[in-house]
Amino acid sequence: MNIFKKSATLAMIVMVCSLNAQNHTDAKTEKRIANLIKQMTLEEKVSLLHGNSKFYVSGIKRLGIPEFALSDGPHGVRAEMNLHNWKYAGWTTDSATCFPPGTSLAASWNPDLSFQRGEVLGEEARFRKKDILLGPGVNIIRSPLCGRNFEYMSEDPYLISALTIPYIKGLQSKDVAASVKHYLANNQEENRTTIDVSMSERALREIYLPAFKAAIVDAGSYTVMGAYNKFRGEWCTENNYISRTILRNEFGFKGIYMTDWNACHSTVKAAMAGLDLEMGTENKDYKDWYFADPLIKAVKNNDVPMAIVDEKVGNMLRIMFKLKMIDGKNRTIGSMNTSEHQQAAYQSAAEAIVLLQNQNNTLPLNFSALKSVAVIGDNATRKHAAGGLSSEIKALYEITPLEAITKKFGSTVKINFAQGYTKQSAFKENSNVGQTVKSGTDWKLIDKAVETASISDAAIIFCGLNHDFDTESADKIDMSLPYGQLELIQAVAKVNPKTIVVLIAGSPVELAGVVNRVPSIVWAGYGGMEAGNAIADVLSGKVNPSGKLPFTIPVSLQQSPAHALGNFPGRNLKVNYEEDILVGYRWFDTKNIMPQFAFGHGLSYTQFSITNFKADKNTVVATDKIEVTFTIQNTGTSFGGEVAQLYVSDPVASVLRPKKELKAFKKVFLNPGESKIISMPLNVSDFAFFDEKVNNWRVEPGEFILSIGNASDNILEKLSIIVK
Ligand code: BGC
């Protein structure tokens, strides 16, 4: 490792100024808020600080303060639940548009699509008369096994931030509050309600906090959801450091800090630490919740000052004003299930598909030249939108791959379906018991699939996971493909050289036994309601794949940092993030470990070149801005999109730094032969690391290498910048 100490005297400390305006209001509104608070009794104030049912908070009629309506979840507006239990209310009017979940959003690497998604979700939430939509989920994909990886976006904080900001801006532009979740370090589901997470201050600042900061400071998220777990010994919902010091003081957050459902553990401690709203507490009468009668009592006993209660009520009212809930005119009325919304869901699904491997240009399939195609696998017919627990969506419709392929090509091509494998698990909350029965290989189904593939011109196997694995409330037990899918793929590939594997999953899966046996592998993620159409269009070449992996796919679980170091899911209800800042590709790069597929990887049916990489200055100081430019050209023969990725390295530093880190990217669509000059603005301050010695960010002087490429393992050009 090439680490030398640089002169500390020359070191430049970059101050982070984090005041945001978006969740603040003007002086006039603040006056009105103060006035309203003055008119309230203590009981009325406290009534605003806890749920009165699963997803509502009562208003105060006599003061014109309306009820607050909350709803899940990150990729669609969840169907209406009963007021007082977890069953669905059985409405016939609550089917919704369902987008691909977070991981697929990130795989698109397209912030414009994220803004559009935010707007659509806002429209639909308003149509359903909701005020807060519980998302986006911005936790880090730390382990391939985390059950909620599919809801989160990436292993990289910059990529998550870049997609989170437009999502929240789009959503809130429709007068619906985002609730960025789960603050903080909810990176596993195993023991999520009891685990105590420790990490260094540097890992917190460089990896786990940036997306929350972006959501609050840059996007102005109106609400933040406190996670179930403990952070450094204290529950996130009563953790003074993360809520008072960071959220309120550093980020200047003036919105609502609420609990996850049933994540409150105290009255006085949580109240003093800055929690505003208690939701979802189980097994207690609403009046007995921590922020109900016990809070009234605590104020009367002088354990909680009235000013603290007023602060919370102020935060609630401030967001109501922001959302035009109090005498607001022109609040968005919203719309539901429009063709524009469905088109947005399709676009999001199409751009999320990642072409992992494509030997001999097996894809795209020229369906008009084929007589027959074998479509194999449970995921060819399985619908996924209604799974995963709190993010599940009652989609207005969901197109499966088999439906789409049959509809688009079935009139000229014989579609031979074979089941191949069956879903044998049954998810049970808080356990992965269902997953342990997953591995049964059904040779009869495999034999049938082999027979089908052998009489077809090409075979497409739809495999991967389902929401018995990618789910809230349980982690996966390993990274393997369940239900004998590996045997299926290997057997089919032997009889049909044109075997294409399409993976539908929200987390990395083991592909070591697949890559050398089939020519083409497509990562389709979960695609929401338009999944089938998007996949069929990519397979046929109508859509050129432009997605890039938002996470590393390791060869085996043991390669991945938390598992290599044996600290997932922790021991004795404690987990220490020993891999520190080396999460995802930062670990693989720095340790020279070759994964199966690298972060940022994704092929296209055309080719691109990236050349002429330049910076407007090569010698800078830490407060400077740099503009880098490069030419990107489509050198192939079809229209397509490429994601140019800019990574920064600090090869000589006084601390261990990752080999490189993503600091900018741009998705560009080009016609064959077309080229564009792209410029990317960079702040030199973004090259900083968090220096625990001075408890601040520091850009050390010396040489930095800027690399541009189309994957973290395919760097095309580099340049050097000297920081004075
Ligand atoms: C989840 C949250 C969700 C909430 C309400 C919790 O179990 O962790 O993400 O928003 O339930 O459904």
Side-chain angles (χ1 to χ4, degrees):
M1 220 176 303
N2 191 12
I3 295 175
F4 299 100
K5 226 176 166 56
K6 287 180 180 173
S7 158
T9 48
L10 282 174
M12 188 79 194
I13 292 171
V14 183
M15 292 303 296
V16 184
C17 173
S18 310
L19 269 192
N20 78 91
Q22 284 106 331
N23 49 44
H24 294 204
T25 42
D26 57 17
K28 208 170 124 203
T29 311
E30 288 299 323
K31 228 178 177 174
R32 291 194 59 195
I33 292 171
N35 240 325
L36 279 167
I37 295 174
K38 249 189 232 149
Q39 297 171 61
M40 290 178 196
T41 64
L42 173 60
E43 285 71 17
E44 282 173 331
K45 290 177 186 175
V46 168
S47 74
L48 296 177
L49 307 181
H50 61 90
N52 67 0
S53 54
K54 286 287 174 210
F55 286 94
Y56 291 87
V57 180
S58 49
I60 306 172
K61 251 207 178 122
R62 72 173 187 96
L63 296 175
I65 296 170
E67 173 183 78
F68 238 132
L70 294 76
S71 172
D72 284 305
H75 44 270
V77 183
R78 192 180 188 183
E80 195 68 17
M81 316 281 305
N82 283 337
L83 284 178
H84 305 297
N85 63 43
W86 284 107
K87 294 210 171 84
Y88 282 101
W91 286 13
T92 52
T93 51
D94 56 354
S95 298
T97 299
C98 177
F99 282 88
T103 314
S104 295
L105 168 63
S108 76
W109 291 61
N110 188 337
D112 294 341
L113 289 181
S114 196
F115 184 80
Q116 188 184 42
R117 164 186 302 230
E119 284 185 315
V120 170
L121 293 177
E123 281 283 330
E124 300 215 343
R126 278 311 300 138
F127 192 80
R128 288 269 312 280
K129 305 224 174 331
K130 302 299 179 192
D131 305 306
I132 301 179
L133 195 70
L134 303 170
V138 304
N139 296 95
I140 291 282
I141 297 184
R142 173 176 178 254
S143 156
L145 300 190
C146 174
R148 286 187 102 165
N149 284 343
F150 77 103
E151 279 187 70
Y152 302 152
M153 296 183 210
S154 174
E155 64 191 26
D156 182 76
Y158 179 82
L159 180 59
I160 304 176
S161 303
L163 294 160
T164 296
I165 295 167
Y167 176 119
I168 292 175
K169 285 187 172 169
L171 178 69
Q172 295 192 166
S173 76
K174 299 294 178 180
D175 309 320
V176 175
S179 188
V180 61
K181 66 190 188 183
H182 307 86
Y183 187 68
L184 182 83
N186 184 181
N187 306 302
Q188 67 188 61
E189 291 301 284
E190 178 115 6
N191 300 321
R192 68 172 171 169
T193 58
T194 42
I195 193 87
D196 181 6
V197 181
S198 314
M199 64 177 80
S200 72
E201 190 64 16
R202 184 168 171 212
L204 171 67
R205 299 287 172 164
E206 292 188 20
I207 306 292
Y208 295 93
L209 207 48
F212 287 101
K213 183 178 175 201
I216 294 152
V217 177
D218 301 315
S221 183
Y222 292 156
T223 88
V224 175
M225 186 191 290
Y228 284 122
N229 50 282
K230 289 180 183 171
F231 178 74
R232 294 184 186 156
E234 287 180 304
W235 302 108
C236 288
T237 50
E238 54 182 52
N239 186 311
N240 213 58
Y241 184 58
I242 67 166
S243 66
R244 281 270 176 225
T245 308
I246 296 180
L247 198 57
R248 302 290 183 192
N249 299 345
E250 280 185 41
F251 295 172
F253 180 62
K254 300 281 263 176
I256 301 166
Y257 186 40
M258 70 170 82
T259 64
D260 197 340
W261 269 236
N262 200 25
C264 199
H265 294 272
S266 65
T267 300
V268 177
K269 194 166 181 203
M272 299 308 289
L275 182 76
D276 298 312
L277 176 61
E278 177 188 7
M279 293 303 297
T281 304
E282 298 278 2
N283 306 325
K284 274 187 180 178
D285 203 300
Y286 298 108
K287 69 175 176 27
D288 296 328
W289 283 20
Y290 297 100
F291 273 23
D293 284 359
L295 182 56
I296 295 173
K297 208 167 139 203
V299 174
K300 288 185 176 157
N301 285 346
N302 291 325
D303 292 331
V304 173
M306 186 65 93
I308 291 282
V309 172
D310 289 353
E311 178 195 24
K312 298 179 196 313
V313 175
N315 294 339
M316 297 293 292
L317 294 176
R318 187 169 302 109
I319 298 313
M320 288 189 179
F321 276 107
K322 282 288 193 189
L323 296 175
K324 306 179 189 151
M325 289 170 69
I326 302 179
D327 71 28
K329 295 183 187 68
N330 308 322
R331 190 169 189 205
T332 302
I333 293 162
S335 57
M336 199 85 190
N337 296 318
T338 67
S339 56
E340 287 81 12
H341 295 184
Q342 290 154 11
Q343 182 55 32
Y346 168 80
Q347 196 59 31
S348 191
E351 283 199 32
I353 295 175
V354 183
L355 181 60
L356 291 179
Q357 171 173 313
N358 195 22
Q359 287 157 5
N360 315 320
N361 293 330
T362 303
L363 286 173
L365 282 178
N366 180 0
F367 278 88
S368 55
L370 299 175
K371 288 204 183 69
S372 57
V373 172
V375 173
I376 298 167
D378 186 74
N379 270 342
T381 55
R382 183 157 300 283
K383 298 186 179 185
H384 296 282
L389 282 191
S390 66
S391 68
E392 64 200 22
I393 301 300
K394 183 169 148 192
L396 183 68
Y397 61 82
E398 182 177 344
I399 313 282
T400 66
L402 180 63
E403 277 165 4
I405 290 171
T406 307
K407 188 157 179 222
K408 285 171 193 270
F409 313 109
S411 60
T412 57
V413 183
K414 187 154 185 297
I415 312 293
N416 299 319
F417 175 70
Q419 180 68 32
Y421 70 93
T422 45
K423 171 179 175 294
Q424 298 153 33
S425 52
F427 171 71
K428 288 192 197 79
E429 209 164 329
N430 290 322
S431 96
N432 39 34
V433 174
Q435 299 180 21
T436 56
V437 295
K438 68 182 186 176
S439 48
T441 303
D442 189 332
W443 286 102
K444 271 197 194 129
L445 290 180
I446 294 182
D447 288 348
K448 185 87 195 77
V450 166
E451 195 186 311
T452 308
S454 65
I455 54 155
S456 305
D457 293 344
I460 314 169
I461 309 178
F462 288 90
C463 48
L465 303 173
N466 56 45
H467 286 302
D468 285 351
F469 300 89
D470 285 313
T471 181
E472 178 182 340
S473 183
D475 291 330
K476 284 172 277 296
I477 50 178
D478 59 37
M479 228 180 81
S480 62
L481 285 169
Y483 319 125
Q485 291 178 68
L486 201 54
E487 289 89 338
L488 169 71
I489 294 166
Q490 294 178 354
V492 168
K494 271 192 195 148
V495 298
N496 195 320
K498 261 198 178 182
T499 295
I500 293 145
V501 166
V502 179
L503 292 152
I504 294 176
S507 288
V509 290
E510 215 173 284
L511 296 174
V514 179
V515 287
N516 293 322
R517 291 183 164 89
V518 300
S520 297
I521 307 175
V522 174
W523 185 274
Y526 292 109
M529 69 199 298
E530 284 285 338
N533 283 331
I535 292 168
D537 288 347
V538 164
L539 293 175
S540 72
K542 183 176 175 198
V543 166
N544 194 346
S546 62
K548 300 279 181 180
L549 282 179
F551 46 65
T552 308
I553 301 185
V555 174
S556 66
L557 191 60
Q558 269 320 101
Q559 274 194 334
S560 121
H563 299 274
L565 298 174
N567 56 38
F568 183 96
R571 212 175 289 156
N572 299 330
L573 301 182
K574 286 188 194 311
V575 60
N576 181 24
Y577 291 5
E578 271 180 279
E579 71 283 5
D580 205 50
I581 51 160
L582 297 184
V583 177
Y585 68 89
R586 286 166 167 78
W587 166 268
F588 285 80
D589 274 2
T590 310
K591 302 279 180 189
N592 281 320
I593 302 168
M594 204 195 290
Q596 195 74 67
F597 291 105
F599 173 81
H601 167 77
L603 306 172
S604 166
Y605 298 150
T606 189
Q607 292 85 44
F608 297 90
S609 68
I610 294 178
T611 52
N612 218 6
F613 183 41
K614 288 189 292 221
D616 63 347
K617 32 182 135 38
N618 291 88
T619 305
V620 295
V621 295
T623 47
D624 275 346
K625 288 184 190 313
I626 308 179
E627 180 105 346
V628 297
T629 52
F630 54 90
T631 305
I632 179 162
Q633 184 174 16
N634 182 342
T635 56
T637 53
S638 53
F639 174 80
E642 179 62 297
V643 181
Q645 303 164 32
L646 185 140
Y647 296 87
V648 175
S649 321
D650 183 2
V652 180
S654 63
V655 294
L656 171 74
R657 298 210 63 179
K659 197 159 185 184
K660 61 179 184 297
E661 296 182 277
L662 184 73
K663 293 294 171 189
F665 65 86
K666 176 88 183 154
K667 189 166 199 178
V668 188
F669 285 90
L670 296 167
N671 285 309
E674 193 187 358
S675 68
K676 267 189 195 157
I677 297 176
I678 304 296
S679 62
M680 287 175 171
L682 291 171
N683 296 316
V684 179
S685 57
D686 291 339
F687 303 176
F689 68 93
F690 191 83
D691 187 348
E692 293 185 337
K693 286 201 204 100
V694 292
N695 204 30
N696 213 332
W697 294 88
R698 180 198 291 269
V699 180
E700 284 183 326
E703 185 186 31
F704 286 80
I705 306 294
L706 275 47
S707 309
I708 193 92
N710 63 0
S712 69
D713 65 345
N714 194 32
I715 297 304
L716 299 165
E717 292 202 3
K718 290 184 178 186
L719 58 83
S720 148
I721 300 282
I722 306 295
V723 177
K724 289 263 175 216

